[in-house]
Amino acid sequence: MDFNQLSLYVQKGNGAKVKEMVSEGLAQKADPTEILNAGLIEAMAVIGEKFKNNEIYVPEMLMAAKAMNAGMQVLEPVLTATGVKPIGKAVIGTVKGDLHDIGKNLVRMMLKGAGIEMYDLGIDVPAQAFLNKAQEVGADMVCLSALLTTTMPYMDSVIKEFDKAGVRSQFVFMIGGAPVSEAYAKSINADYYAEDAVVAVDVAKKILAGKQ
């Protein structure tokens, strides 16, 4: 199987070709883990690097992430069946009062592409829902997104909810969104601030490497 070609299709955002190649690779008995690492994850690493260097922008990154997701749809059931474990689990959502989801969706797809099992709660998510889901799935990380200055304070409410339940120390909190900053993350006792999806992946990998 030509992993380079698969990686190129992902980078170009050609979801149909990615799906086709992954299906063909599996039919030819290619190693599903290798398809994941050498094809899909490798492609997203290249995309991440290009984004950092301003060679591409959010629309191209979104297209690549969608193409990677198309491949993951075919690959995931096989990986699960062969017992390949994700590198960690994360709950993600846009906080209560906020209906923006493009940034959150991009982070979710990029983290999924890095081998993390993602639980997306969607938009307008109350604190209790984050707490319930994080405990239910045994998440390592909780990722909070807010795109409005008016909804940003609700991130604090979410973390306080975990505090009240006495489980704050069991989870790592990563926050992001246009109005959010490193200083704000510190002020609400969040562990990390990610300025974009590429940084989110770097941070998540570091966190999970430390947990293994």
Side-chain angles (χ1 to χ4, degrees), residues 154-200:
Y154 196 77
M155 289 175 158
D156 188 27
S157 306
V158 175
I159 295 173
K160 284 199 166 85
E161 191 73 30
F162 281 72
D163 261 329
K164 268 193 293 189
V167 295
R168 165 68 186 87
S169 60
Q170 293 171 25
F171 304 97
V172 174
F173 282 84
M174 178 163 68
I175 68 171
V180 183
S181 65
E182 187 74 56
Y184 184 68
K186 284 197 173 78
S187 77
I188 64 166
N189 191 28
D191 301 288
Y192 295 93
Y193 157 67
E195 67 192 60
D196 57 46
V198 176
V199 175

Side-chain angles (χ1 to χ4, degrees), residues 21-92:
M21 274 197 84
V22 171
S23 301
E24 280 172 8
L26 291 172
Q28 291 159 9
K29 299 282 185 282
D31 179 355
T33 316
E34 211 173 341
I35 296 174
L36 175 68
N37 291 326
L40 306 184
I41 290 180
E42 167 63 25
M44 294 316 288
V46 173
I47 285 291
E49 207 50 47
K50 284 185 172 174
F51 182 79
K52 273 184 197 164
N53 298 332
N54 293 323
E55 291 169 46
I56 62 164
Y57 300 97
V58 169
E60 293 93 332
M61 192 157 72
L62 207 46
M63 278 172 67
K66 282 181 176 167
M68 180 272 299
N69 249 30
M72 285 297 282
Q73 282 169 8
V74 180
L75 201 54
E76 253 179 337
V78 184
L79 287 170
T80 308
T82 51
V84 174
K85 294 235 182 310
I87 64 168
K89 295 177 183 179
V91 170
I92 191 168

